[in-house]
């Protein structure tokens, strides 16, 4: 029996196919025999939601580590920086694990095309590079640039985003919706060690991202433009943002992890003596700072319009449930017994608190108006 063959398409693969569009690349991959083309942004969404749950429970700086390159760069400091780091699997692994959970007990064959080192993870059956993917298409006589630019007869998997930006980092807009907002800081200079240390010594509610600075393929930092324009370039190729979550966050997916299988990278030059004892910050205490002061240049991630990509979507499980498809804004209710998203709860609680606040203000205004009318009546 032939297993359903799904292709998780890396961010760098989409960039490499230009000037062909994402839709054209998806058509080409479908013509090569893949049953569905899954965007790695599904993994980004799962990771971003889990990161928001984590940062929503702390008053200390947190470094997001969702890339093998970042894991290796920070690993040199061991216990010194670990309390301030939130480790997760990489987006391709999160997407593959999600697919297996949704399709269970059906067995899948999952291929990942991209440069992320997580392609060697056991959840992925075959890992091919971007050049290998394009070469396979050329060998089959499939010209990506000649593929249709639209999907006429099928609805492709939904490539929109709700919580995330490329690489799995939550957007600043999403972080602002938490009960206690968190500031997103992206360090884009490759020599970011001193700046990172300064941010970690600040008792602020911040989420620090260093992935693009290290050339993270999932964030799009794979061209000469460097880290500063990486995510902007990817967003230009994506459809507008969704109005509700795109993937089912109630599906249990193992996200949190400490990556130890990635290739070695240069050690991060952070003074471990300065960072030692920073565990107190995890409890909200203000540490004593020292050393050279570096003025941080936080860069907020802008949101931008994009276009789409995709593939046909097979059904999963015996009940025939389908995975998210393009431009479907509504989600199915969470299955009974499954873990509900803590992020959505926080957003809903925050909205409820705002409504209560406005009702109290409105009620107070009405009461004052009635009192003033009563006083005027006495005077008359």
């Amino acid at each position: 029996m032939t297993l359903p063959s799904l292709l998780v398409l890396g961010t760098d693969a989409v960039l490499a196919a230009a000037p062909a569009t994402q839709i054209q690349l998806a058509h080409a991959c479908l013509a090569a025999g893949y049953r569905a083309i899954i965007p790695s942004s599904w993994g980004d969404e799962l990771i971003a939601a889990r990161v928001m749950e984590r940062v929503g429970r702390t008053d200390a700086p947190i470094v997001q580590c969702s890339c093998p390159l970042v894991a290796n760069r920070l690993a040199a400091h061991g216990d010194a920086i670990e309390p301030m780091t939130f480790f997760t699997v990489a987006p391709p692994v999160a997407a593959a694990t999600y697919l297996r959970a949704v399709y269970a007990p059906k067995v899948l064959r999952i291929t990942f095309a991209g440069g992320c080192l997580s392609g060697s993870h056991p959840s992925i059956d075959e890992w091919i590079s971007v050049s290998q993917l394009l070469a396979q298409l050329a060998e089959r006589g499939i010209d990506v640039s000649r593929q249709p630019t639209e999907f006429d007869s099928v609805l492709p998997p939904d490539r929109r985003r709700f919580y995330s930006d490329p690489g799995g980092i939550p957007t600043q807009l999403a972080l602002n919706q938490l009960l206690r907002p968190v500031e997103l800081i992206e360090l884009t200079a490759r020599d970011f060690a001193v700046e990172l240390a300064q941010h970690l010594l600040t008792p602020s509610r911040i989420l620090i991202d260093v992935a693009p600075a290290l050339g993270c393929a999932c964030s799009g930092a794979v061209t000469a433009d460097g880290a500063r324009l990486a995510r902007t370039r990817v967003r230009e190729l994506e459809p507008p943002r969704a109005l509700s979550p795109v993937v089912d966050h109630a599906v249990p997916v193992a996200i949190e992890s400490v990556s130890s299988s990635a290739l070695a990278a240069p050690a991060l030059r952070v003074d471990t003596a300065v960072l030692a004892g920073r565990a107190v910050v995890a409890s909200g205490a203000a540490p004593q700072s020292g050393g050279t002061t570096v003025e941080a240049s936080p860069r907020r991630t802008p949101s931008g319009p994009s276009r789409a990509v995709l593939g046909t979507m097979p059904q999963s499980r015996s009940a025939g449930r389908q995975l998210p498809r393009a431009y479907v804004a509504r989600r199915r209710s969470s299955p009974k017994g499954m873990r509900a998203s803590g992020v959505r709860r926080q957003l809903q609680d925050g909205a409820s608190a705002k409504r209560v606040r406005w009702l109290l203000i409105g009620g107070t205004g009405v009461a004052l108006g009635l009192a003033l009318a009563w006083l005027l009546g006495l005077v008359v």
Side-chain angles (χ1 to χ4, degrees), residues 295-361:
E295 185 163 328
S297 54
R299 182 173 67 87
R300 296 180 184 275
T301 304
S303 58
S306 345
R307 292 175 293 175
V309 93
L310 337 18
T312 56
M313 195 29 104
Q315 292 186 337
S316 63
R317 302 187 182 180
S318 57
R321 183 175 68 160
Q322 293 184 334
L323 296 179
R325 309 215 287 187
Y327 311 117
V328 178
R330 296 181 180 177
R331 287 180 58 215
R332 301 177 189 276
S333 58
S334 300
K336 184 177 180 180
M338 288 191 172
R339 176 176 175 272
S341 171
V343 175
R344 298 201 72 190
R345 273 200 308 274
Q346 289 195 50
L347 299 183
Q348 292 167 355
D349 291 345
S352 299
K354 290 179 181 178
R355 286 196 295 270
V356 171
R357 195 157 50 243
W358 282 110
L359 287 173
L360 290 175
I361 293 173

Side-chain angles (χ1 to χ4, degrees), residues 32 37 72 124 159 171 291 334:
I37 314 302
N72 277 334
I124 297 172
R159 295 200 83 263
T171 65
S334 300

Side-chain angles (χ1 to χ4, degrees), residues 68-121:
L69 297 177
V70 178
N72 277 334
R73 190 74 182 272
L74 302 181
H77 305 286
D79 296 339
I81 201 171
E82 185 173 340
M84 299 162 281
T85 306
F86 184 56
F87 296 93
T88 75
V89 297
V93 175
T97 306
Y98 174 76
L99 290 171
R100 295 193 186 281
V102 170
Y103 275 83
K106 182 179 292 185
V107 179
L108 303 173
R109 177 171 179 78
I110 298 178
T111 300
F112 167 61
C116 180
L117 299 177
S118 68
S120 60
H121 192 272

Side-chain angles (χ1 to χ4, degrees), residues 27-370:
H27 272 297
C29 294
L30 290 171
Y34 294 103
R35 187 175 178 186
I37 314 302
I38 309 299
S40 61
S41 59
W42 284 11
D44 291 341
E45 285 291 290
L46 293 164
I47 291 171
R50 198 67 58 84
V51 170
M52 291 175 65
E53 291 182 7
R54 173 66 177 84
V55 298
R57 301 193 302 266
T58 183
D59 293 320
I62 294 290
V63 180
Q64 179 171 341
C65 180
S66 303
C67 174
L69 297 177
V70 178
N72 277 334
R73 190 74 182 272
L74 302 181
H77 305 286
D79 296 339
I81 201 171
E82 185 173 340
M84 299 162 281
T85 306
F86 184 56
F87 296 93
T88 75
V89 297
V93 175
T97 306
Y98 174 76
L99 290 171
R100 295 193 186 281
V102 170
Y103 275 83
K106 182 179 292 185
V107 179
L108 303 173
R109 177 171 179 78
I110 298 178
T111 300
F112 167 61
C116 180
L117 299 177
S118 68
S120 60
H121 192 272
S123 64
I124 297 172
D125 297 303
E126 183 181 7
W127 174 26
I128 60 176
S129 67
V130 176
S131 58
Q132 286 176 316
L133 173 64
L134 298 178
Q136 288 179 8
L137 296 177
E139 289 172 1
R140 290 171 168 80
I142 302 172
D143 188 344
V144 179
S145 64
R146 293 182 177 274
Q147 299 301 309
T149 57
E150 302 292 341
F151 276 99
D152 296 327
S153 58
V154 295
L155 287 175
D158 197 339
R159 295 200 83 263
R160 296 176 301 166
R161 298 177 183 272
F162 183 69
Y163 293 121
S164 73
D165 262 338
I169 197 78
T171 65
Q172 183 62 69
L173 179 62
L175 292 170
N176 288 343
Q177 301 305 310
L178 295 174
L179 284 175
R180 296 183 299 164
V182 175
E183 182 182 5
L184 172 62
I185 294 179
E186 297 179 63
L187 306 185
T188 56
R190 189 165 183 82
D191 187 12
F192 57 77
V194 177
E195 188 176 2
L196 174 61
Q198 291 293 326
H199 284 302
L200 292 178
L201 291 170
T202 303
S204 304
R205 291 175 53 77
I206 58 176
L207 175 63
I208 305 170
D209 175 39
V210 300
L214 294 177
C216 171
C218 296
S219 67
V222 292
T223 67
D225 294 347
R228 196 167 291 275
L229 299 177
R231 291 190 169 109
T232 300
R233 190 169 52 250
V234 176
R235 282 192 297 268
E236 290 174 349
L237 301 175
E238 295 182 334
R241 287 194 170 271
L243 300 178
S244 62
V246 174
V247 297
D248 188 352
H249 294 276
V251 174
V253 178
I255 296 294
E256 299 181 29
S257 172
V258 177
S259 177
S260 59
S261 60
L263 299 177
L268 179 63
R269 295 185 180 89
V270 177
D271 187 353
T272 54
V274 174
L275 294 180
R278 277 287 294 122
V280 296
V281 177
S283 63
Q288 297 297 320
S289 61
T292 305
T293 301
V294 176
E295 185 163 328
S297 54
R299 182 173 67 87
R300 296 180 184 275
T301 304
S303 58
S306 345
R307 292 175 293 175
V309 93
L310 337 18
T312 56
M313 195 29 104
Q315 292 186 337
S316 63
R317 302 187 182 180
S318 57
R321 183 175 68 160
Q322 293 184 334
L323 296 179
R325 309 215 287 187
Y327 311 117
V328 178
R330 296 181 180 177
R331 287 180 58 215
R332 301 177 189 276
S333 58
S334 300
K336 184 177 180 180
M338 288 191 172
R339 176 176 175 272
S341 171
V343 175
R344 298 201 72 190
R345 273 200 308 274
Q346 289 195 50
L347 299 183
Q348 292 167 355
D349 291 345
S352 299
K354 290 179 181 178
R355 286 196 295 270
V356 171
R357 195 157 50 243
W358 282 110
L359 287 173
L360 290 175
I361 293 173
T364 302
V366 172
L368 289 174
L370 292 174

